[in-house]
Structures are given as C-alpha cells and as structure tokens.
Amino acid sequence: MTKFLLALHVLAAIVAVGPVTVAASMFPPAVRRAHEEATGVGTVRLLHRICRAYAAVGIAVPVLGVATGAAMGVLGDAWLTASMALTAAAAGVLAAFVLPRQGELLEELTGQGSVERRGTVQLAMFTGVFNLLWATVTVLMIVRPGSTTGA
C-alpha cells in the first residue's frame, strides 16, 4: 500500500505542480507580449486558467503526501515537517500573490490593452518564490535527511 500511495503522490506532484510551475513562469512574459500579438490575450487567459485549475488539482499532492508519510511511519520526521511547512508556504504564495496578481494583470490587459512592466516584474518575483519553495520541497523529498534507504 505504501508504494501505491507514494506512486500516486509523485504522479500528483508531476501532473499538478508541474503545469502550475511552467504556466505561472510563462505568464509575466506573455502579458508583456500580449499587446503586440493578436492572440496574446487568449494566451494569457489560457495560462491563468491552467494555473487556477491545476492549483485546485494540486491539493491532492499534500493529501497523498500525508497519507504516504503516515503509511511509512515518518510523519514526525523533521524533513517531512519542513516539507509540509514549505508546501503550505508555496500554496500560500500561490493563493495570496500569484493567482490574484495574474487575475489583476489579465483585467488590466483586457481593459487597457497593456500593463505596466512593474506589475509583471512583481508577479515574476512571486512566481520565482513559489517555484523555489517547490524546488526545495522536491529536494527534501529526494534527500530525506536521516533516511535509511541510503539515499
């Protein structure tokens, strides 16, 4: 059962977090280019939709992670506690800064036809923080300090 839960957890992370990470990273430059291209607003709208939809699906990642940790008997381990805290921080950055700012920029773009570069730079910073948090969680999941697997 543990291997099954772990496989689901890893698959959920790849399928849910990967698209959010990529689409969120593509969003700021897409907004900057949107006023120059006829299909630019559609691309920006699609990237925002991908981020929202996969963020919702991404809830499965920590749920399956906790189930896997419980099955493995490692819920009290420091590396897992740190991973859960960083996952919560990443979710917070996404929900409080990335998705709302994407929505604001999309509204500005559809209303005015352009946005100030400052807004896209700020969004890129928030997205970078989100991506860095997820990268750190990924490393912790692989390295697992104190692991008995020899990794």
Side-chain angles (χ1 to χ4, degrees):
M1 184 61 152
T2 301
K3 289 182 181 183
F4 178 70
L5 286 171
L6 181 59
L8 287 178
H9 172 61
V10 171
L11 285 171
I14 292 167
V15 170
V17 178
V20 173
T21 302
V22 172
S25 296
M26 293 173 63
F27 191 93
V31 169
R32 286 185 216 118
R33 286 190 312 268
H35 71 278
E36 299 170 8
E37 302 173 6
T39 60
V41 175
T43 299
V44 171
R45 192 173 282 120
L46 175 64
L47 291 171
H48 183 53
R49 192 175 320 128
I50 289 168
C51 288
R52 284 189 326 223
Y54 282 93
V57 173
I59 293 169
V61 176
V63 169
L64 290 166
V66 169
T68 303
M72 294 174 69
V74 295
L75 281 181
D77 288 6
W79 67 270
L80 188 57
T81 303
S83 294
M84 291 180 350
L86 292 170
T87 297
V93 168
L94 183 65
F97 299 105
V98 175
L99 294 176
R101 190 65 188 134
Q102 283 182 351
E104 292 168 8
L105 290 173
L106 183 56
E107 286 180 19
E108 287 178 33
L109 187 62
T110 55
Q112 304 172 130
S114 66
V115 297
E116 291 184 30
R117 182 170 172 82
R118 183 178 59 88
T120 61
V121 169
Q122 184 183 53
L123 175 59
M125 178 196 66
F126 291 138
T127 301
V129 169
F130 170 76
N131 292 343
L132 182 61
L133 288 166
W134 271 117
T136 305
V137 169
T138 302
V139 169
L140 282 172
M141 291 291 131
I142 295 167
V143 174
R144 299 183 326 220
S147 171
T148 59
T149 63

